[in-house]
Amino acid sequence: MNILLINHYAGSVHHGMEYRPYYLAREWVRAGHRVHIVAASHSHLRRQGPTMAGHDRLVEDIDGIHYTWLRTPAYAGNGAGRVRNMLAFVARLWREAPRLAQTFAPHAVIASSTYPLDIWPAHRIARLAGARLLHEVHDLWPLSPMELGGHSRHHPFIMLLQAAENHACRHADAIVSILPRVRGHLEARGMAPHKLHLIPNGVDPDEWPAAGTPPADAPCRGRDVLPPAVAALLSRLRAEGRAIVGYAGSHGLANALDTLLDAAHLLRQRPLAFVLVGAGPEKDRLRRQARSLGLDHVHFVDPVAKRAIPALLARFDIAFLGWRRQPLYRFGIAPNKLLDYMMAGCPVLHAVEAGNDPVAETGCGVSVAPDDPSALAEGLARLVALDPRTRRALGERGRRHVLDHLSYPVLARRFLAVLAQETHHA
């Protein structure tokens, strides 16, 4: 099968996020299929962009996957520059449609760029090639910018996004959603009930240690060498007899790290250490907040390479994941960092109110209400009170669930089954 996957933000293990297109495509290539990913040259998610060298288009092979990078203007933030970047990519894709349909001859076309505008050029390519058309839902647009950004439904760009979402719901042969509670929303916009398939985010098991008994001094599983300064800090904290509560990820408002700092203040007399690893727009402010509260047991650490994440999480006794109370989460959540925590065998402290709660559903930790430092401190105290063997059993429960249901080899096979169906778009 020839599979054309359109994802504005697609990356790879060489470029950085977004990883999902790469991992799915790599599994499809391993299964004997040809995969072509079309992505924009500039994305705020990637740590390294493709080297365009002045060209409007760059074609390269990455681990057996054919990539076409289309030049788009650079931007920063979520303002007009990002909108221009989106529109430039969609316009280029529309112009490239005949060439892609003829030269690659796809059997299936997947529109998967978070925002739904790529459905129109994807539909054009599918018609020209006689291919099956799929729409993949990462976030709900335009609902996300409306509810999170306060944009009016009558704003011209919001109206354009809504027209695209409606077109995808009505004309795609199938819709794959990462979010688990979207059926009612999509059916209200014209999706036939039989079209929806839920395929969440996943992990690459090859990036993680094989099953077996973890080292006695490592509550979670891990491998690869940490930066020396990070390893020294974590070793010192453990030598002091402190249980390490860790967080690895972006430091933004949505990550609820303020609540974690307030909970750390409530538990300042306990033998705990809080280690926050990563970067983000709120990191400096969070540092100042920790200093003002006198939180000497809270440590901020620079981001580590993706390959070092297993070794980092191996040193955590408990991993934290928090959310703000946000109505948009009624459609469900699918956080990648939670999968990393679970693959590492870490028991998870989860502050959440959403349409789903993977921690509670798999029994791999403790869930509490969001935006509530007292509830968070109480949940953390419950986990700390458990003996290490019991905490490890919670973490292993999460690891087993991911390996059985959420590895990319498993998810790629499920996606292929959707691609192989015979119905075609209107």
Side-chain angles (χ1 to χ4, degrees):
M1 185 186 302
N2 294 345
I3 302 168
L4 177 63
L5 195 162
I6 299 165
N7 187 302
H8 184 132
Y9 305 106
S12 72
V13 292
H14 312 287
H15 298 89
M17 292 176 65
E18 185 170 316
Y19 293 113
R20 176 183 172 93
Y22 167 83
Y23 283 124
L24 287 173
R26 192 179 65 178
E27 294 301 324
W28 295 336
V29 168
R30 288 172 174 174
H33 304 283
R34 295 177 64 229
V35 185
H36 195 138
I37 292 178
V38 182
S41 65
H42 183 82
S43 163
H44 66 288
L45 297 174
R46 299 188 203 111
R47 66 175 181 272
Q48 177 181 328
T51 303
M52 300 300 290
H55 299 292
D56 286 338
R57 182 196 307 120
L58 173 67
V59 178
E60 61 180 331
D61 184 284
I62 301 175
D63 299 329
I65 308 162
H66 300 286
Y67 276 73
T68 292
W69 307 98
L70 301 179
R71 176 177 291 282
T72 55
Y75 66 93
N78 284 316
R82 186 177 180 190
V83 173
R84 285 194 296 272
N85 178 272
M86 293 177 187
L87 296 177
F89 177 70
V90 172
R92 282 292 312 278
L93 192 59
W94 181 270
R95 294 195 298 271
E96 295 276 345
R99 185 188 65 81
L100 288 166
Q102 181 176 11
T103 60
F104 188 64
H107 300 105
V109 180
I110 306 167
S112 173
S113 292
T114 303
Y115 62 86
L117 299 178
D118 60 356
I119 190 63
W120 285 311
H123 194 177
R124 186 184 190 200
I125 296 168
R127 278 180 166 167
L128 291 171
R132 185 167 165 75
L133 176 66
L134 280 84
H135 173 58
E136 185 174 48
V137 176
H138 297 248
D139 297 316
L140 291 175
W141 285 54
L143 196 61
S144 292
M146 288 168 61
E147 293 198 4
L148 296 177
H151 297 287
S152 167
R153 71 178 64 221
H154 303 296
H155 187 284
F157 186 60
I158 296 296
M159 294 174 68
L160 181 65
L161 290 169
Q162 189 59 71
E165 183 184 44
N166 294 347
H167 187 92
C169 288
R170 292 168 183 160
H171 295 285
D173 297 313
I175 295 179
V176 169
S177 176
I178 295 172
L179 304 175
R181 300 286 185 265
V182 296
R183 179 176 293 278
H185 174 85
L186 297 177
E187 287 184 2
R189 281 142 189 85
M191 182 193 75
H194 71 274
K195 289 185 179 182
L196 183 63
H197 304 265
L198 302 178
I199 302 178
N201 283 321
V203 298
D204 176 11
D206 291 341
E207 296 178 350
W208 293 85
T213 303
D217 62 345
C220 308
R221 301 177 184 275
R223 67 180 179 194
D224 292 333
V225 177
L226 280 172
V230 179
L233 170 65
L234 296 171
S235 295
R236 175 174 64 81
L237 296 174
R238 188 162 302 284
E240 293 172 356
R242 295 179 179 272
I244 298 174
V245 182
Y247 170 82
S250 179
H251 290 43
L253 286 173
N255 306 113
L257 296 176
D258 300 82
T259 308
L260 182 62
L261 294 185
D262 290 338
H265 185 254
L266 293 174
L267 296 170
R268 60 192 178 279
Q269 302 304 322
R270 300 286 190 99
L272 299 172
F274 296 80
V275 178
L276 281 61
V277 182
E282 298 300 309
K283 185 163 185 173
D284 288 342
R285 183 187 61 79
L286 290 164
R287 275 198 177 107
R288 292 193 297 271
Q289 180 180 342
R291 284 196 298 268
S292 69
L293 293 172
L295 302 180
D296 296 333
H297 58 317
V298 174
H299 306 269
F300 292 88
V301 175
D302 290 338
V304 301
K306 187 176 188 290
R307 65 180 181 276
I309 289 294
L312 172 70
L313 299 184
R315 305 294 192 95
F316 292 173
D317 294 281
I318 297 163
F320 168 75
L321 176 62
W323 307 78
R324 299 287 187 186
R325 183 173 276 107
Q326 168 54 250
L328 189 63
Y329 298 148
R330 66 191 180 275
F331 298 105
I333 54 173
N336 281 306
K337 71 167 64 68
L338 177 58
L339 300 180
D340 286 342
Y341 291 169
M342 294 168 76
M343 269 302 291
C346 286
V348 181
L349 177 64
H350 197 199
V352 65
E353 182 178 276
N356 66 316
D357 178 1
V359 172
E361 292 159 11
T362 60
C364 68
V366 169
S367 296
V368 300
D371 298 330
D372 187 337
S374 296
L376 192 60
E378 180 183 347
L380 182 52
R382 286 167 54 194
L383 280 171
V384 170
L386 299 174
D387 65 87
R389 186 180 297 274
T390 302
R391 281 204 304 267
R392 190 174 298 151
L394 291 178
E396 288 299 306
R397 194 176 298 161
R399 177 182 171 87
R400 177 46 52 192
H401 177 81
V402 173
L403 286 172
D404 288 346
H405 304 287
L406 299 176
S407 72
Y408 274 114
V410 171
L411 298 176
R413 287 194 295 270
R414 288 173 55 187
F415 212 126
L416 279 175
V418 178
L419 293 175
Q421 292 176 3
E422 293 298 325
T423 56
H424 288 284
H425 51 275

